[in-house]
C-alpha cells in the first residue's frame, strides 16, 4: 500500500513513507536468491505499484528465508486456522502451505484484485479473500470460523500512521484467542524510526510477549520477524 505521490526512495525504505493510508494491501521484499526477482512476479509487483500505488507496498516478492522465518509459528500438528494478511504473489502463501501440508484452514487476505486473482490460480486450495485487512473479524466470521490460531502479516506496519496501526491491530486482536500467535516482519535498518518504535510499543501493549528473531540477511533490505504471543484480549 502506498500513498499517491510516492517518492522513489521509499521503494527501498517503505518506513519513510507518509504516515497514513486508505487501504491495507501488500508489502514484501526482494528475493535475494537471485540478482533480480524472476519474472513474472518482479515485473508484476512493479506494474501493480505503478497502476495501484495505494494498494501495493513493494516492487518484488519476499525471500524464501524470510518466508520460512515468519511462518515458523504455525504448529506442525492439528488443524490450525492460519490467516495471512497482504498475500501478494504468494511467497508466504507457499510457505504456509508447506507448513500445513493440507491441514487446517488457510485464509489469504489480499486487497489488490490482480494479486488476488493470481493467488486463486496458483493456490486453488487456499481460501483467498479479496478484502481490506481492517475487515478481518468480518472475513473470519463470514467463513464460520471462530478465531485464528496464527495471523501472518506482511503489511508495512511501521509506515502506517497511528490511527491505521490502532485500527488494524484491533482487527487482528478481534480474531485471536489467548493461545494465538501474531507474526509480522520489519526492516532491520528502520527499527529506530518513530513510526517503527510506536508499532513496537503497540505490540508490547497488546501482547504479553513479543520476540524478535535473528536478522534475516538473505533479504533486501535485511529484516527481522516479530512473534507476538498471549494477546491481551
Amino acid at each position: 500500500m502506498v500513498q499517491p505521490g510516492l517518492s522513489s526512495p521509499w521503494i527501498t525504505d517503505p518506513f519513510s513513507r507518509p504516515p497514513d493510508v486508505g487501504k491495507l494491501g501488500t508489502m514484501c521484499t526482494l528475493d535475494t536468491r537471485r540478482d533480480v526477482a524472476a519474472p513474472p512476479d518482479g515485473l508484476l509487483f512493479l506494474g501493480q505499484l505503478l497502476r495501484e500505488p495505494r494498494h501495493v507496498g513493494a516492487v518484488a516478492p519476499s525471500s524464501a528465508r524470510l518466508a520460512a522465518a515468519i511462518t515458523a509459528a504455525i504448529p506442525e500438528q492439528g488443524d490450525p486456522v492460519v490467516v495471512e494478511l497482504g498475500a501478494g504473489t504468494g511467497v508466504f502463501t507457499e510457505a504456509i502451505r508447506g507448513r500445513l501440508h493440507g491441514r487446517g484452514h488457510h485464509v489469504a487476505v489480499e486487497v489488490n484484485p490482480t494479486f488476488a486473482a493470481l493467488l486463486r490460480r496458483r493456490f486453488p486450495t487456499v481460501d483467498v479473500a479479496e478484502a481490506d485487512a481492517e475487515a478481518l473479524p468480518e472475513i473470519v466470521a463470514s467463513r464460520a470460523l471462530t478465531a485464528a490460531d496464527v495471523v501472518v502479516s506482511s503489511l508495512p506496519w511501521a509506515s502506517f500512521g497511528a490511527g491505521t496501526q490502532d485500527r488494524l491491530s484491533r482487527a487482528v486482536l478481534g480474531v485471536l484467542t489467548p493461545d494465538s500467535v501474531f507474526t509480522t516482519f520489519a526492516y532491520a535498518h528502520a527499527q529506530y524510526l518513530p513510526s517503527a518504535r510506536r508499532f513496537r510499543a503497540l505490540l508490547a501493549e497488546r501482547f504479553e510477549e513479543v520476540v524478535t528473531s535473528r536478522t534475516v540477511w538473505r533479504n533486501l533490505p535485511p529484516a527481522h520477524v516479530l512473534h507476538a504471543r498471549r494477546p491481551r484480549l
Side-chain angles (χ1 to χ4, degrees), residues 21-113:
V21 295
K23 288 209 170 192
L24 303 177
T26 303
M27 171 185 156
C28 296
T29 53
L30 182 65
D31 186 341
T32 56
R33 291 172 298 170
R34 309 174 182 84
D35 293 332
V36 295
D41 287 1
L43 295 178
L44 178 60
F45 261 92
L46 180 58
Q48 290 303 302
L49 175 64
L50 297 175
R51 288 171 58 89
E52 299 286 345
R54 289 179 63 83
H55 295 174
V56 181
V59 296
S62 297
S63 72
R65 293 288 182 90
L66 184 60
I70 203 170
T71 58
I74 296 174
E76 295 181 353
Q77 298 180 348
D79 295 301
V81 174
V82 180
V83 176
E84 178 185 6
L85 303 180
T89 58
V91 174
F92 291 175
T93 311
E94 182 65 42
I96 292 170
R97 289 176 71 251
R99 294 282 298 185
L100 290 175
H101 296 293
R103 299 174 296 118
H105 193 125
H106 177 190
V107 182
V109 181
E110 174 55 58
V111 71
N112 180 278

Side-chain angles (χ1 to χ4, degrees), residues 19-229:
D20 221 331
V21 295
K23 288 209 170 192
L24 303 177
T26 303
M27 171 185 156
C28 296
T29 53
L30 182 65
D31 186 341
T32 56
R33 291 172 298 170
R34 309 174 182 84
D35 293 332
V36 295
D41 287 1
L43 295 178
L44 178 60
F45 261 92
L46 180 58
Q48 290 303 302
L49 175 64
L50 297 175
R51 288 171 58 89
E52 299 286 345
R54 289 179 63 83
H55 295 174
V56 181
V59 296
S62 297
S63 72
R65 293 288 182 90
L66 184 60
I70 203 170
T71 58
I74 296 174
E76 295 181 353
Q77 298 180 348
D79 295 301
V81 174
V82 180
V83 176
E84 178 185 6
L85 303 180
T89 58
V91 174
F92 291 175
T93 311
E94 182 65 42
I96 292 170
R97 289 176 71 251
R99 294 282 298 185
L100 290 175
H101 296 293
R103 299 174 296 118
H105 193 125
H106 177 190
V107 182
V109 181
E110 174 55 58
V111 71
N112 180 278
T114 299
F115 289 153
L118 177 64
L119 290 167
R120 291 189 181 100
R121 292 195 302 271
R122 286 185 172 175
F123 308 105
T125 62
V126 173
D127 183 357
V128 178
E130 185 182 326
D132 191 313
E134 285 187 8
L136 187 55
E138 292 78 12
I139 294 169
V140 171
S142 68
R143 286 154 170 78
L145 301 171
T146 57
D149 296 293
V150 182
V151 175
V152 177
S153 171
S154 60
L155 300 176
W157 287 87
S159 68
F160 296 153
T164 300
Q165 288 183 350
D166 179 70
R167 291 191 303 273
L168 183 55
S169 64
R170 290 183 184 278
V172 171
L173 286 176
V175 302
L176 301 182
T177 71
D179 296 322
S180 299
V181 181
F182 169 68
T183 68
T184 188
F185 75 92
Y187 291 141
H189 74 278
Q191 62 184 315
Y192 298 112
L193 292 178
S195 57
R197 297 176 70 173
R198 182 180 64 235
F199 175 61
R200 291 290 297 273
L202 186 63
L203 285 181
E205 173 188 325
R206 295 184 175 173
F207 292 85
E208 293 184 22
E209 177 185 80
V210 180
V211 177
T212 303
S213 75
R214 294 182 179 180
T215 300
V216 181
W217 296 106
R218 292 285 300 272
N219 212 72
L220 184 64
H224 53 254
V225 175
L226 302 172
H227 298 279
R229 296 179 172 87

